Amino acid sequence: MNRAEKAALQLQAVAVLRMLKETRTYDELADLTGLPAGDLNRYVNGHVLPGVERARDVVQGVGRDALATELESRVEFDDEGYVDNSGVVFDQSFLDLVAPVAANTLGFERPDVVLTAATDGITLGAAMASYFDARVAYAKKSKETAVEEFIESRQRLASGIELTYYLPARAISAGENVLIVDDLIRSGETQELLLDIALQSEANVTGVFALISVGTEGIDRARDITEAPVGALTTFDAD
């Protein structure tokens, strides 16, 4: 880890602590993190940065648990099992905190391109791309009129509906590292199409990440396709 990466990790830990402090006293924050209340006060108020090891512990440990809990409180399910995650995907500052936590806990290799699906995956894709200093590309269900060449991935679903995604061919080059992200994974059909697009591009898949997994079917499906790390920030029961 170079100097810039260490500084970025330290700042990310401060951002996580500031989010947690919004609903806690310093004593409560100390109980949660195992760090002295006085040190936490100095970190939160910007007087000093935590050391690298402390920063890593905050981001990888308490950070993931805290963000998962916050995410769960913002997600709603209707009577038919449809997910309303607008309280998450419309909050860019929250997604900016998710990116380093996901990267550090799941061990994704730094990508050249973050690939997602339009439209709800775009804000998460932007956050992940910003964290990694990578490009973001998103596949759509329709072709751009001014683009001549596309990578196309098509699949007939169990319901009989045909799902197709298109990505401009120049969005990903052969040999590039690609991280696939999406806001939600349930059956894994969308992620399978995105993985197929990456493979058609002759790119290297560095991981598959979703904010929310409903059940484990989609996660398992992605793991059957790629040996790269696959995970979600939080998992809800499919029932």
Side-chain angles (χ1 to χ4, degrees), residues 126-142:
M128 297 295 284
S130 176
Y131 170 74
F132 283 114
D133 193 23
R135 306 194 312 276
V136 62
Y138 53 92
K140 300 173 66 174
K141 294 180 181 178
S142 59

Side-chain angles (χ1 to χ4, degrees), residues 11 15 23 33 67 73 76 78 87 99 101 105 108 110 128 135 141 149 165 172 174 188 193 213 216:
L11 292 171
T23 56
T33 62
L67 289 176
S73 72
E76 297 180 1
D78 66 13
V101 170
T105 56
F108 296 129
R110 184 177 297 276
M128 297 295 284
R135 306 194 312 276
K141 294 180 181 178
E149 294 185 37
Y165 274 102
I172 302 175
L193 291 171
S213 176
T216 61

Side-chain angles (χ1 to χ4, degrees), residues 59-107:
V59 171
Q60 294 183 0
V62 67
R64 177 168 185 171
D65 292 341
L67 289 176
T69 299
E70 177 67 17
L71 187 153
E72 290 166 6
S73 72
R74 297 185 183 198
V75 173
E76 297 180 1
F77 289 80
D78 66 13
D79 294 337
E80 297 181 357
Y82 289 101
V83 180
D84 177 6
N85 61 3
S86 56
V88 178
V89 297
F90 294 159
D91 187 343
Q92 196 68 52
S93 61
F94 178 80
L95 296 177
D96 289 341
L97 290 177
V98 168
V101 170
N104 284 280
T105 56
L106 294 173

Side-chain angles (χ1 to χ4, degrees), residues 1-16 49-52 55-56 59 96-97 99-101 104 110 130-133:
M1 181 180 291
N2 61 36
R3 184 176 298 177
E5 291 170 333
K6 290 178 181 178
L9 178 63
Q10 291 169 307
L11 292 171
Q12 290 149 12
V14 170
V16 170
L49 292 174
V52 173
R56 184 178 288 109
V59 171
D96 289 341
L97 290 177
V101 170
N104 284 280
R110 184 177 297 276
S130 176
Y131 170 74
F132 283 114
D133 193 23

